[in-house]
Amino acid sequence: MLEYHIDFQGQSRAEVITQGLITTFGVVGFLVGLVLQDIRLSLFIFAAGIVLAGLLVIPAWPYLNKNPVKWLPSRAKAALEQEKSTVSSSSTGSEKEKVA
Amino acid sequence: MNSLQNRANSVMAFSLSAIFCLLGAIALSALLIPSHPSGSVALDSIKVVTGRYDKNWVDYKTRDNQFANTVMKIDADLSSLFHWNTKQLFVYAVAEYSTKSHPKNQIVLWDSIIKRKSDAVIKKQNINNKYSLIDVNRKWTDVEANVTLHWNIVPYVGFMTYGHSQSSGGYAFPLPSGIQK
């Protein structure tokens, strides 16, 4: 599936950008339309805000992925690697101790 | 906001909420914009004729229903009613009178839809009434009518607002003096 995940800071930033941009364009559009007495202009400005917010936030841009979550290494993988390095001691029963 | 669909959804959802606020603000702002419309209607002549009730609804029994034919003069400047939320104006001239059996009667004599500010200055003479002027009792005895120009602002979004000019008044209806074709 097309998921394009972003990290947690990116999500918070994306939300702030969406709400801030659309609200700002809405307010500016209202004021410009009121002053120039043009309802069409006001709605076009608002629509531009939506498009801009969508472009900035919907694709997983790199700036939304600056702080990826650092996971701990997988236990199974670590165990496997350790087992490889200590092939000589071929006891399977002691594996649990090593992992712990 | 973690996946693509999630972000698209939240942008759409927030913009939907925001556009309702924007449209609400536009609707409310339209109520506060000042305007100074002026208008007047005058009847140059009234003639009462008798005839059948209606061309389409033929009343064969009687031909003595009394219709009033008027000639109107309309003078109005409604251009200040065109603000950013005005889609069109509906302008109509109303005759208002009272009879013994019906204390308040209002009949539309003429109407018009105005779509542009440049058309909002109305100066018309020799307008015949567009709609039949006939009383419920089908007789015009001892009736005096006022005529008023009404207007209705149809907005793009928000509230319908209404207004009217001062009624010009006291037109007495004469006795029948002819037969309607």
Side-chain angles (χ1 to χ4, degrees):
Chain A
M1 281 296 286
L2 299 168
E3 295 214 319
Y4 296 105
H5 290 296
I6 56 177
D7 63 44
F8 288 117
Q9 267 103 329
Q11 291 178 36
S12 143
R13 190 183 259 183
E15 186 148 341
V16 169
I17 288 173
T18 309
Q19 297 184 353
L21 215 59
I22 291 175
T23 309
T24 310
F25 272 72
V27 170
V28 170
F30 176 76
L31 293 177
V32 171
L34 187 66
V35 170
L36 300 180
Q37 289 290 297
D38 188 349
I39 196 171
R40 185 181 291 238
L41 182 65
S42 141
L43 293 177
F44 273 132
I45 290 173
F46 182 72
I50 297 174
V51 171
L52 191 63
L55 283 178
L56 280 178
V57 151
I58 294 176
W61 297 116
Y63 82 96
L64 296 172
N65 242 334
K66 273 183 181 165
N67 306 291
V69 178
K70 291 195 182 72
W71 300 98
L72 288 175
S74 152
R75 285 182 182 182
K77 211 173 170 183
L80 209 73
E81 272 170 16
Q82 204 147 56
E83 200 174 338
K84 267 184 197 166
S85 62
T86 57
V87 183
S88 51
S89 61
S90 59
S91 68
T92 49
S94 61
E95 199 175 298
K96 275 180 189 168
E97 287 169 24
K98 282 173 196 165
V99 171
Chain B
M1 301 281 272
N2 66 324
S3 69
L4 188 79
Q5 291 89 336
N6 242 254
R7 290 192 294 275
N9 176 258
S10 59
V11 170
M12 295 302 162
F14 187 75
S15 56
L16 204 64
S17 306
I19 198 164
F20 272 106
C21 294
L22 178 62
L23 295 179
I26 290 172
L28 290 176
S29 82
L31 297 178
L32 302 175
I33 294 173
S35 62
H36 41 86
S38 66
S40 70
V41 207
L43 297 188
D44 286 338
S45 76
I46 309 175
K47 194 180 169 194
V48 175
V49 296
T50 56
R52 285 193 174 126
Y53 188 65
D54 196 315
K55 270 181 280 190
N56 304 315
W57 176 17
V58 182
D59 183 356
Y60 287 108
K61 282 185 200 139
T62 171
R63 299 185 73 145
D64 57 4
N65 302 294
Q66 294 180 1
F67 295 87
N69 291 336
T70 60
V71 179
M72 270 174 283
K73 182 163 68 187
I74 295 177
D75 212 335
D77 182 0
L78 305 177
S79 49
S80 70
L81 296 176
F82 272 87
H83 50 68
W84 69 326
N85 196 18
T86 305
K87 186 186 175 205
Q88 61 187 27
L89 293 180
F90 181 63
V91 184
Y92 48 109
V94 174
E96 189 174 334
Y97 61 91
S98 63
T99 59
K100 274 176 194 158
S101 55
H102 297 81
K104 190 178 183 185
N105 304 274
Q106 288 178 303
I107 298 181
V108 175
L109 301 179
W110 171 89
D111 61 16
S112 175
I113 294 170
I114 297 172
K115 293 190 171 175
R116 277 180 216 88
K117 191 172 188 172
S118 54
D119 297 338
V121 179
I122 306 168
K123 268 202 197 316
K124 282 177 190 283
Q125 285 194 333
N126 299 324
I127 312 171
N128 294 315
N129 47 313
K130 209 167 159 182
Y131 308 109
S132 292
L133 181 48
I134 184 167
D135 183 46
V136 181
N137 298 322
R138 305 181 193 179
K139 294 276 184 288
W140 293 110
T141 39
D142 298 331
V143 173
E144 276 208 352
N146 294 320
V147 282
T148 315
L149 193 68
H150 289 247
W151 51 82
N152 165 215
I153 305 173
V154 182
Y156 285 111
V157 50
F159 309 97
M160 296 267 253
T161 46
Y162 297 83
H164 58 81
S165 69
Q166 280 196 321
S167 52
S168 61
Y171 295 101
F173 285 75
L175 291 172
S177 65
I179 294 169
Q180 196 178 46
K181 190 170 70 79

